[in-house]
Amino acid sequence: MQSYISIENLAKSYGVVTAVNNISLGIEKGEFFSLLGPSGCGKSTLLRMIAGFETPTSGAIKLEGADVTDVPAHKRPTNMMFQSYALFPHLTVGKNIAFGLQQDGLAKSEIRKRIDEVAEKLQLTALLDRKPAQLSGGQRQRVALARALVKRPKVLLLDEPLGALDKNLRTETQLELVRLQRELGLTFIIVTHDQHEAMTVSTRIAIMKQGQVLQVGSPSEVYETPQSRYVAKFLGETNVFAGSRADRSGSELQIDSDEAGGRLHAAFTDRVALDAPFWVSVRPERVELATSGSGLEGTVEQLTYTGVERHYRVRLKSGATLDARRVNLGAESDLGVGDRVFASWSPQASRLLAE
Amino acid sequence: MTKPSWFNRLSILFGLAFLYLPIVVLVIYSFNGSKLVTVWGGFSTQWYATVLNNPSIIEGAKVSFLVAAVSATAATILGTLAAVVMVRLRRFRGRALFNGMLLAPMVMPEVVMAVSMLLMFVTLGIDRGPLTITLAHTTFTLCFATVVLQSRLVELDPSLEEAARDLGCPPAKAFVSVALPNMVPAIVSAWLLSFTLSLDDLVISSFTTGPGASTLPMKIYSQIKFGVTPEINAISTIILGIVVLGLVAAQLVSRRSEQRATTA
């Protein structure tokens, strides 16, 4: 089936440097899709190719089945919100928002109507006569959003849109973006390096590394079932131990790990080849620590209190470290630095990972 | 900050005196009532009246202002184009060479430039006069205009034009409607700088001029051959005033644009 936006074998290189390496992706109508990765992974280049600012070296971009690869930026039904917001400093907020509509040659009354509409939606009505220099960071961000949305694009592209905002405002704005996207039923594609942001806003996330997409899935899919060590480590924190040998018994795997210094249990999966190097990953919040019993033995090396939770760093007997988290439910910690502990978790909490 | 020591104060005093004492003397003696340049004969503005009634001086001033205005305009237009190429096209064949050639006139000995231009005009058979002076001035003020414009354009967010294109504006129109308005302060200060540079040039003007077209500095220079008169002091003071005004205006405009850029 043809996707709303389909990216087919897209590649972009600058001389000998490959920024985007043969990416294929399908994005559906009404999705809030994230391109997530560290800086230099090619996510911005991919977004800029969708916007029409960069010409792909090879491959195609299709929108509703029509090939738009060679359509210049000013003729594409996409609009972009820039990282720097790129508000026109010499124009008022109202004229900034009107700019795109004037290019389309809309009637003055229609322009007026649409500006009022979007200004009301984004609480900009009182600011229409101000210049960008007179606005706060949050206000500028809303103007940039209004300027792109007023064109009623088929796809809204957001390039690290919240990077300049402080933490509290950023969280607030993320929720606001999601609300707006649902309300308008538009397709959003956002580029971000902040995994928390991607998890918060997206319907699906594409995790990128060195010009390639490693995994695509809903936030819970990519968090719960990462398919590679890189994805597991990039999304949230995790403990990863190299597996040495694996024995299958029914639907369960017994894994010996020299790194962890003991036997680990995991649910069987045919996704990961066990004759190649493989790893077992477990999220810190799934690890249970007890003062007696079975599991990996170690001592508490560090205890951090963040308010929401307690973070234990355990030095295992094998010499490796293991992180565990406990949600703060009001009680004092029964474990202190230097205590001997046994770490265990259910087989379902283990994830088998390939490289 | 620590208080300046007596040594600091003294060196500042000497430095300023070294730079500005001659000019101060010049300005004071332009209001001299005496005919003798070195003898103070009471305050008078008579030499300003003499200047304004001297048709030769007025004629020179007209040529100078015309040349300065036209060459400054041409240099600013060319400088804008050069700055756009230098800033926006990060990579093209010969970029370093182009940059070097743009800036070379800043350090090139003026006489060399003047002689080479004279030779070029003679070779091409162009009649020397206000036109050739204007062309020569455009060449040597171009590099200064480019530097001013380039520094502004570097600060201008390139995503401004991308945003305009994204909103449906074709590339050329995006430059005119978004980048250009934000360069106005730099364009104005580049023009003013070129204008003042052209106005007080003597060497290049003398080499590239022809019969009948003398700029104000050339008139002054030829008058000085018959001795320094208080009239020269008066003309010099007027030119000084115009140049200072031009430079102050250029400063103000670029400072205002800087402030706007930092608050934006």
PDB file of all heavy atoms in Angstrom, chain A residues 14-49:
ATOM      1  N   TYR A  14      27.472  14.698   0.376  1.00  0.00           N
ATOM      2  CA  TYR A  14      28.206  15.931   0.085  1.00  0.00           C
ATOM      3  C   TYR A  14      29.640  15.517  -0.182  1.00  0.00           C
ATOM      4  O   TYR A  14      30.376  15.213   0.758  1.00  0.00           O
ATOM      5  CB  TYR A  14      28.167  16.878   1.279  1.00  0.00           C
ATOM      6  CG  TYR A  14      26.777  17.275   1.701  1.00  0.00           C
ATOM      7  CD1 TYR A  14      26.125  16.617   2.733  1.00  0.00           C
ATOM      8  CD2 TYR A  14      26.119  18.322   1.059  1.00  0.00           C
ATOM      9  CE1 TYR A  14      24.853  16.976   3.121  1.00  0.00           C
ATOM     10  CE2 TYR A  14      24.850  18.687   1.442  1.00  0.00           C
ATOM     11  CZ  TYR A  14      24.223  18.017   2.478  1.00  0.00           C
ATOM     12  OH  TYR A  14      22.958  18.384   2.858  1.00  0.00           O
ATOM     13  N   GLY A  15      30.024  15.467  -1.433  1.00  0.00           N
ATOM     14  CA  GLY A  15      31.358  14.988  -1.755  1.00  0.00           C
ATOM     15  C   GLY A  15      31.506  13.552  -1.295  1.00  0.00           C
ATOM     16  O   GLY A  15      30.751  12.679  -1.700  1.00  0.00           O
ATOM     17  N   VAL A  16      32.470  13.322  -0.409  1.00  0.00           N
ATOM     18  CA  VAL A  16      32.688  11.948   0.063  1.00  0.00           C
ATOM     19  C   VAL A  16      31.853  11.638   1.305  1.00  0.00           C
ATOM     20  O   VAL A  16      31.774  10.503   1.743  1.00  0.00           O
ATOM     21  CB  VAL A  16      34.177  11.693   0.387  1.00  0.00           C
ATOM     22  CG1 VAL A  16      35.003  11.659  -0.887  1.00  0.00           C
ATOM     23  CG2 VAL A  16      34.712  12.746   1.336  1.00  0.00           C
ATOM     24  N   VAL A  17      31.223  12.670   1.884  1.00  0.00           N
ATOM     25  CA  VAL A  17      30.461  12.457   3.110  1.00  0.00           C
ATOM     26  C   VAL A  17      29.028  12.063   2.775  1.00  0.00           C
ATOM     27  O   VAL A  17      28.340  12.754   2.036  1.00  0.00           O
ATOM     28  CB  VAL A  17      30.442  13.738   3.973  1.00  0.00           C
ATOM     29  CG1 VAL A  17      29.713  13.478   5.279  1.00  0.00           C
ATOM     30  CG2 VAL A  17      31.849  14.223   4.230  1.00  0.00           C
ATOM     31  N   THR A  18      28.594  10.933   3.309  1.00  0.00           N
ATOM     32  CA  THR A  18      27.220  10.496   3.098  1.00  0.00           C
ATOM     33  C   THR A  18      26.389  10.932   4.299  1.00  0.00           C
ATOM     34  O   THR A  18      26.629  10.475   5.416  1.00  0.00           O
ATOM     35  CB  THR A  18      27.155   8.972   2.942  1.00  0.00           C
ATOM     36  OG1 THR A  18      28.047   8.606   1.891  1.00  0.00           O
ATOM     37  CG2 THR A  18      25.759   8.521   2.604  1.00  0.00           C
ATOM     38  N   ALA A  19      25.441  11.850   4.071  1.00  0.00           N
ATOM     39  CA  ALA A  19      24.617  12.341   5.173  1.00  0.00           C
ATOM     40  C   ALA A  19      23.414  11.445   5.377  1.00  0.00           C
ATOM     41  O   ALA A  19      23.021  11.153   6.501  1.00  0.00           O
ATOM     42  CB  ALA A  19      24.175  13.773   4.896  1.00  0.00           C
ATOM     43  N   VAL A  20      22.812  11.029   4.268  1.00  0.00           N
ATOM     44  CA  VAL A  20      21.645  10.151   4.335  1.00  0.00           C
ATOM     45  C   VAL A  20      21.925   8.976   3.414  1.00  0.00           C
ATOM     46  O   VAL A  20      22.281   9.159   2.253  1.00  0.00           O
ATOM     47  CB  VAL A  20      20.369  10.911   3.905  1.00  0.00           C
ATOM     48  CG1 VAL A  20      19.221   9.940   3.669  1.00  0.00           C
ATOM     49  CG2 VAL A  20      19.981  11.935   4.958  1.00  0.00           C
ATOM     50  N   ASN A  21      21.801   7.775   3.961  1.00  0.00           N
ATOM     51  CA  ASN A  21      22.263   6.596   3.248  1.00  0.00           C
ATOM     52  C   ASN A  21      21.111   5.637   2.967  1.00  0.00           C
ATOM     53  O   ASN A  21      20.768   4.801   3.782  1.00  0.00           O
ATOM     54  CB  ASN A  21      23.356   5.920   4.089  1.00  0.00           C
ATOM     55  CG  ASN A  21      24.052   4.817   3.325  1.00  0.00           C
ATOM     56  OD1 ASN A  21      23.712   4.540   2.179  1.00  0.00           O
ATOM     57  ND2 ASN A  21      25.002   4.184   3.977  1.00  0.00           N
ATOM     58  N   ASN A  22      20.487   5.820   1.797  1.00  0.00           N
ATOM     59  CA  ASN A  22      19.518   4.855   1.313  1.00  0.00           C
ATOM     60  C   ASN A  22      18.388   4.581   2.317  1.00  0.00           C
ATOM     61  O   ASN A  22      18.207   3.460   2.763  1.00  0.00           O
ATOM     62  CB  ASN A  22      20.257   3.554   0.974  1.00  0.00           C
ATOM     63  CG  ASN A  22      19.445   2.693   0.029  1.00  0.00           C
ATOM     64  OD1 ASN A  22      18.632   3.224  -0.728  1.00  0.00           O
ATOM     65  ND2 ASN A  22      19.636   1.385   0.085  1.00  0.00           N
ATOM     66  N   ILE A  23      17.624   5.612   2.623  1.00  0.00           N
ATOM     67  CA  ILE A  23      16.540   5.477   3.592  1.00  0.00           C
ATOM     68  C   ILE A  23      15.209   5.257   2.877  1.00  0.00           C
ATOM     69  O   ILE A  23      14.899   5.940   1.902  1.00  0.00           O
ATOM     70  CB  ILE A  23      16.465   6.734   4.497  1.00  0.00           C
ATOM     71  CG1 ILE A  23      17.623   6.720   5.485  1.00  0.00           C
ATOM     72  CG2 ILE A  23      15.131   6.800   5.221  1.00  0.00           C
ATOM     73  CD1 ILE A  23      17.652   7.891   6.427  1.00  0.00           C
ATOM     74  N   SER A  24      14.446   4.317   3.363  1.00  0.00           N
ATOM     75  CA  SER A  24      13.075   4.135   2.891  1.00  0.00           C
ATOM     76  C   SER A  24      12.148   4.176   4.098  1.00  0.00           C
ATOM     77  O   SER A  24      12.411   3.521   5.100  1.00  0.00           O
ATOM     78  CB  SER A  24      12.923   2.791   2.168  1.00  0.00           C
ATOM     79  OG  SER A  24      13.687   2.804   0.990  1.00  0.00           O
ATOM     80  N   LEU A  25      11.107   4.988   3.976  1.00  0.00           N
ATOM     81  CA  LEU A  25      10.190   5.180   5.102  1.00  0.00           C
ATOM     82  C   LEU A  25       8.801   5.438   4.553  1.00  0.00           C
ATOM     83  O   LEU A  25       8.652   6.035   3.492  1.00  0.00           O
ATOM     84  CB  LEU A  25      10.575   6.433   5.887  1.00  0.00           C
ATOM     85  CG  LEU A  25      11.541   6.387   7.070  1.00  0.00           C
ATOM     86  CD1 LEU A  25      11.702   7.798   7.598  1.00  0.00           C
ATOM     87  CD2 LEU A  25      11.033   5.463   8.145  1.00  0.00           C
ATOM     88  N   GLY A  26       7.791   5.002   5.293  1.00  0.00           N
ATOM     89  CA  GLY A  26       6.429   5.368   4.934  1.00  0.00           C
ATOM     90  C   GLY A  26       5.796   6.083   6.119  1.00  0.00           C
ATOM     91  O   GLY A  26       5.884   5.608   7.242  1.00  0.00           O
ATOM     92  N   ILE A  27       5.228   7.266   5.859  1.00  0.00           N
ATOM     93  CA  ILE A  27       4.590   8.007   6.942  1.00  0.00           C
ATOM     94  C   ILE A  27       3.130   8.203   6.561  1.00  0.00           C
ATOM     95  O   ILE A  27       2.821   8.609   5.439  1.00  0.00           O
ATOM     96  CB  ILE A  27       5.308   9.365   7.155  1.00  0.00           C
ATOM     97  CG1 ILE A  27       6.767   9.115   7.563  1.00  0.00           C
ATOM     98  CG2 ILE A  27       4.583  10.190   8.227  1.00  0.00           C
ATOM     99  CD1 ILE A  27       7.643  10.340   7.523  1.00  0.00           C
ATOM    100  N   GLU A  28       2.241   7.875   7.493  1.00  0.00           N
ATOM    101  CA  GLU A  28       0.816   7.910   7.168  1.00  0.00           C
ATOM    102  C   GLU A  28       0.195   9.256   7.509  1.00  0.00           C
ATOM    103  O   GLU A  28       0.730  10.018   8.310  1.00  0.00           O
ATOM    104  CB  GLU A  28       0.073   6.803   7.933  1.00  0.00           C
ATOM    105  CG  GLU A  28       0.573   5.400   7.650  1.00  0.00           C
ATOM    106  CD  GLU A  28       0.643   5.080   6.156  1.00  0.00           C
ATOM    107  OE1 GLU A  28      -0.226   5.555   5.391  1.00  0.00           O
ATOM    108  OE2 GLU A  28       1.580   4.362   5.754  1.00  0.00           O
ATOM    109  N   LYS A  29      -0.950   9.510   6.895  1.00  0.00           N
ATOM    110  CA  LYS A  29      -1.672  10.753   7.133  1.00  0.00           C
ATOM    111  C   LYS A  29      -2.072  10.853   8.607  1.00  0.00           C
ATOM    112  O   LYS A  29      -2.530   9.881   9.191  1.00  0.00           O
ATOM    113  CB  LYS A  29      -2.921  10.794   6.255  1.00  0.00           C
ATOM    114  CG  LYS A  29      -3.557  12.156   6.224  1.00  0.00           C
ATOM    115  CD  LYS A  29      -4.675  12.242   5.211  1.00  0.00           C
ATOM    116  CE  LYS A  29      -5.211  13.662   5.263  1.00  0.00           C
ATOM    117  NZ  LYS A  29      -6.092  13.956   4.171  1.00  0.00           N
ATOM    118  N   GLY A  30      -1.880  12.033   9.189  1.00  0.00           N
ATOM    119  CA  GLY A  30      -2.287  12.256  10.572  1.00  0.00           C
ATOM    120  C   GLY A  30      -1.288  11.758  11.597  1.00  0.00           C
ATOM    121  O   GLY A  30      -1.550  11.795  12.790  1.00  0.00           O
ATOM    122  N   GLU A  31      -0.134  11.313  11.146  1.00  0.00           N
ATOM    123  CA  GLU A  31       0.875  10.847  12.099  1.00  0.00           C
ATOM    124  C   GLU A  31       1.662  12.009  12.683  1.00  0.00           C
ATOM    125  O   GLU A  31       1.807  13.057  12.054  1.00  0.00           O
ATOM    126  CB  GLU A  31       1.866   9.897  11.403  1.00  0.00           C
ATOM    127  CG  GLU A  31       1.435   8.453  11.449  1.00  0.00           C
ATOM    128  CD  GLU A  31       2.627   7.520  11.301  1.00  0.00           C
ATOM    129  OE1 GLU A  31       3.065   7.303  10.156  1.00  0.00           O
ATOM    130  OE2 GLU A  31       3.104   7.021  12.323  1.00  0.00           O
ATOM    131  N   PHE A  32       2.176  11.783  13.883  1.00  0.00           N
ATOM    132  CA  PHE A  32       3.163  12.701  14.466  1.00  0.00           C
ATOM    133  C   PHE A  32       4.441  11.882  14.500  1.00  0.00           C
ATOM    134  O   PHE A  32       4.653  11.067  15.386  1.00  0.00           O
ATOM    135  CB  PHE A  32       2.734  13.128  15.874  1.00  0.00           C
ATOM    136  CG  PHE A  32       3.380  14.399  16.336  1.00  0.00           C
ATOM    137  CD1 PHE A  32       2.628  15.375  17.002  1.00  0.00           C
ATOM    138  CD2 PHE A  32       4.737  14.652  16.112  1.00  0.00           C
ATOM    139  CE1 PHE A  32       3.211  16.562  17.433  1.00  0.00           C
ATOM    140  CE2 PHE A  32       5.318  15.830  16.530  1.00  0.00           C
ATOM    141  CZ  PHE A  32       4.560  16.783  17.191  1.00  0.00           C
ATOM    142  N   PHE A  33       5.254  12.063  13.467  1.00  0.00           N
ATOM    143  CA  PHE A  33       6.379  11.178  13.230  1.00  0.00           C
ATOM    144  C   PHE A  33       7.680  11.851  13.652  1.00  0.00           C
ATOM    145  O   PHE A  33       7.929  13.002  13.304  1.00  0.00           O
ATOM    146  CB  PHE A  33       6.430  10.834  11.741  1.00  0.00           C
ATOM    147  CG  PHE A  33       7.321   9.669  11.413  1.00  0.00           C
ATOM    148  CD1 PHE A  33       6.814   8.381  11.383  1.00  0.00           C
ATOM    149  CD2 PHE A  33       8.663   9.862  11.140  1.00  0.00           C
ATOM    150  CE1 PHE A  33       7.636   7.299  11.088  1.00  0.00           C
ATOM    151  CE2 PHE A  33       9.488   8.791  10.843  1.00  0.00           C
ATOM    152  CZ  PHE A  33       8.967   7.501  10.812  1.00  0.00           C
ATOM    153  N   SER A  34       8.508  11.139  14.422  1.00  0.00           N
ATOM    154  CA  SER A  34       9.779  11.722  14.868  1.00  0.00           C
ATOM    155  C   SER A  34      10.958  11.115  14.151  1.00  0.00           C
ATOM    156  O   SER A  34      11.006   9.909  13.959  1.00  0.00           O
ATOM    157  CB  SER A  34      10.002  11.459  16.353  1.00  0.00           C
ATOM    158  OG  SER A  34       9.091  12.160  17.113  1.00  0.00           O
ATOM    159  N   LEU A  35      11.902  11.961  13.799  1.00  0.00           N
ATOM    160  CA  LEU A  35      13.217  11.501  13.360  1.00  0.00           C
ATOM    161  C   LEU A  35      14.150  11.787  14.523  1.00  0.00           C
ATOM    162  O   LEU A  35      14.392  12.945  14.855  1.00  0.00           O
ATOM    163  CB  LEU A  35      13.668  12.248  12.107  1.00  0.00           C
ATOM    164  CG  LEU A  35      12.743  12.120  10.891  1.00  0.00           C
ATOM    165  CD1 LEU A  35      13.189  13.074   9.794  1.00  0.00           C
ATOM    166  CD2 LEU A  35      12.728  10.693  10.370  1.00  0.00           C
ATOM    167  N   LEU A  36      14.618  10.736  15.144  1.00  0.00           N
ATOM    168  CA  LEU A  36      15.387  10.876  16.383  1.00  0.00           C
ATOM    169  C   LEU A  36      16.796  10.347  16.185  1.00  0.00           C
ATOM    170  O   LEU A  36      16.990   9.281  15.615  1.00  0.00           O
ATOM    171  CB  LEU A  36      14.677  10.090  17.491  1.00  0.00           C
ATOM    172  CG  LEU A  36      15.369   9.996  18.855  1.00  0.00           C
ATOM    173  CD1 LEU A  36      15.451  11.351  19.517  1.00  0.00           C
ATOM    174  CD2 LEU A  36      14.619   9.018  19.754  1.00  0.00           C
ATOM    175  N   GLY A  37      17.753  11.116  16.652  1.00  0.00           N
ATOM    176  CA  GLY A  37      19.133  10.650  16.546  1.00  0.00           C
ATOM    177  C   GLY A  37      20.081  11.709  17.059  1.00  0.00           C
ATOM    178  O   GLY A  37      19.668  12.848  17.282  1.00  0.00           O
ATOM    179  N   PRO A  38      21.341  11.350  17.252  1.00  0.00           N
ATOM    180  CA  PRO A  38      22.321  12.331  17.723  1.00  0.00           C
ATOM    181  C   PRO A  38      22.650  13.317  16.603  1.00  0.00           C
ATOM    182  O   PRO A  38      22.278  13.088  15.456  1.00  0.00           O
ATOM    183  CB  PRO A  38      23.539  11.468  18.058  1.00  0.00           C
ATOM    184  CG  PRO A  38      23.421  10.288  17.165  1.00  0.00           C
ATOM    185  CD  PRO A  38      21.955  10.041  16.989  1.00  0.00           C
ATOM    186  N   SER A  39      23.328  14.410  16.923  1.00  0.00           N
ATOM    187  CA  SER A  39      23.636  15.375  15.884  1.00  0.00           C
ATOM    188  C   SER A  39      24.574  14.731  14.866  1.00  0.00           C
ATOM    189  O   SER A  39      25.430  13.926  15.220  1.00  0.00           O
ATOM    190  CB  SER A  39      24.257  16.635  16.483  1.00  0.00           C
ATOM    191  OG  SER A  39      25.435  16.312  17.160  1.00  0.00           O
ATOM    192  N   GLY A  40      24.319  15.059  13.600  1.00  0.00           N
ATOM    193  CA  GLY A  40      25.139  14.495  12.543  1.00  0.00           C
ATOM    194  C   GLY A  40      24.648  13.151  12.031  1.00  0.00           C
ATOM    195  O   GLY A  40      25.311  12.508  11.236  1.00  0.00           O
ATOM    196  N   CYS A  41      23.448  12.730  12.468  1.00  0.00           N
ATOM    197  CA  CYS A  41      22.967  11.423  12.021  1.00  0.00           C
ATOM    198  C   CYS A  41      22.189  11.529  10.708  1.00  0.00           C
ATOM    199  O   CYS A  41      21.778  10.529  10.155  1.00  0.00           O
ATOM    200  CB  CYS A  41      22.080  10.764  13.081  1.00  0.00           C
ATOM    201  SG  CYS A  41      20.481  11.548  13.268  1.00  0.00           S
ATOM    202  N   GLY A  42      21.990  12.752  10.228  1.00  0.00           N
ATOM    203  CA  GLY A  42      21.327  12.925   8.940  1.00  0.00           C
ATOM    204  C   GLY A  42      19.849  13.240   9.046  1.00  0.00           C
ATOM    205  O   GLY A  42      19.163  13.393   8.049  1.00  0.00           O
ATOM    206  N   LYS A  43      19.353  13.390  10.288  1.00  0.00           N
ATOM    207  CA  LYS A  43      17.906  13.611  10.446  1.00  0.00           C
ATOM    208  C   LYS A  43      17.468  14.961   9.879  1.00  0.00           C
ATOM    209  O   LYS A  43      16.428  15.049   9.222  1.00  0.00           O
ATOM    210  CB  LYS A  43      17.505  13.486  11.923  1.00  0.00           C
ATOM    211  CG  LYS A  43      18.261  14.389  12.881  1.00  0.00           C
ATOM    212  CD  LYS A  43      17.959  13.993  14.327  1.00  0.00           C
ATOM    213  CE  LYS A  43      18.421  15.019  15.339  1.00  0.00           C
ATOM    214  NZ  LYS A  43      19.841  15.358  15.308  1.00  0.00           N
ATOM    215  N   SER A  44      18.293  16.000  10.093  1.00  0.00           N
ATOM    216  CA  SER A  44      17.933  17.314   9.558  1.00  0.00           C
ATOM    217  C   SER A  44      18.033  17.336   8.036  1.00  0.00           C
ATOM    218  O   SER A  44      17.207  17.958   7.374  1.00  0.00           O
ATOM    219  CB  SER A  44      18.829  18.401  10.135  1.00  0.00           C
ATOM    220  OG  SER A  44      18.451  18.680  11.456  1.00  0.00           O
ATOM    221  N   THR A  45      19.030  16.657   7.503  1.00  0.00           N
ATOM    222  CA  THR A  45      19.179  16.595   6.048  1.00  0.00           C
ATOM    223  C   THR A  45      17.956  15.924   5.431  1.00  0.00           C
ATOM    224  O   THR A  45      17.428  16.382   4.420  1.00  0.00           O
ATOM    225  CB  THR A  45      20.454  15.817   5.670  1.00  0.00           C
ATOM    226  OG1 THR A  45      21.545  16.370   6.393  1.00  0.00           O
ATOM    227  CG2 THR A  45      20.732  15.895   4.190  1.00  0.00           C
ATOM    228  N   LEU A  46      17.495  14.847   6.074  1.00  0.00           N
ATOM    229  CA  LEU A  46      16.310  14.147   5.584  1.00  0.00           C
ATOM    230  C   LEU A  46      15.100  15.092   5.587  1.00  0.00           C
ATOM    231  O   LEU A  46      14.360  15.182   4.610  1.00  0.00           O
ATOM    232  CB  LEU A  46      16.052  12.913   6.458  1.00  0.00           C
ATOM    233  CG  LEU A  46      14.834  12.061   6.122  1.00  0.00           C
ATOM    234  CD1 LEU A  46      14.880  11.605   4.679  1.00  0.00           C
ATOM    235  CD2 LEU A  46      14.752  10.851   7.046  1.00  0.00           C
ATOM    236  N   LEU A  47      14.950  15.835   6.688  1.00  0.00           N
ATOM    237  CA  LEU A  47      13.821  16.763   6.787  1.00  0.00           C
ATOM    238  C   LEU A  47      13.929  17.859   5.711  1.00  0.00           C
ATOM    239  O   LEU A  47      12.937  18.227   5.087  1.00  0.00           O
ATOM    240  CB  LEU A  47      13.789  17.405   8.180  1.00  0.00           C
ATOM    241  CG  LEU A  47      12.496  18.135   8.516  1.00  0.00           C
ATOM    242  CD1 LEU A  47      11.414  17.144   8.897  1.00  0.00           C
ATOM    243  CD2 LEU A  47      12.688  19.128   9.645  1.00  0.00           C
ATOM    244  N   ARG A  48      15.144  18.349   5.510  1.00  0.00           N
ATOM    245  CA  ARG A  48      15.350  19.416   4.528  1.00  0.00           C
ATOM    246  C   ARG A  48      15.123  18.911   3.108  1.00  0.00           C
ATOM    247  O   ARG A  48      14.753  19.697   2.232  1.00  0.00           O
ATOM    248  CB  ARG A  48      16.740  20.026   4.692  1.00  0.00           C
ATOM    249  CG  ARG A  48      16.859  20.870   5.988  1.00  0.00           C
ATOM    250  CD  ARG A  48      18.284  21.300   6.255  1.00  0.00           C
ATOM    251  NE  ARG A  48      18.836  22.057   5.144  1.00  0.00           N
ATOM    252  CZ  ARG A  48      18.582  23.341   4.922  1.00  0.00           C
ATOM    253  NH1 ARG A  48      17.802  23.998   5.741  1.00  0.00           N
ATOM    254  NH2 ARG A  48      19.092  23.944   3.887  1.00  0.00           N
ATOM    255  N   MET A  49      15.329  17.635   2.882  1.00  0.00           N
ATOM    256  CA  MET A  49      15.013  17.087   1.560  1.00  0.00           C
ATOM    257  C   MET A  49      13.497  17.002   1.382  1.00  0.00           C
ATOM    258  O   MET A  49      12.987  17.250   0.297  1.00  0.00           O
ATOM    259  CB  MET A  49      15.670  15.710   1.381  1.00  0.00           C
ATOM    260  CG  MET A  49      17.162  15.798   1.136  1.00  0.00           C
ATOM    261  SD  MET A  49      17.865  14.283   0.489  1.00  0.00           S
ATOM    262  CE  MET A  49      18.028  13.316   1.959  1.00  0.00           C
TER     263      MET A  49
END
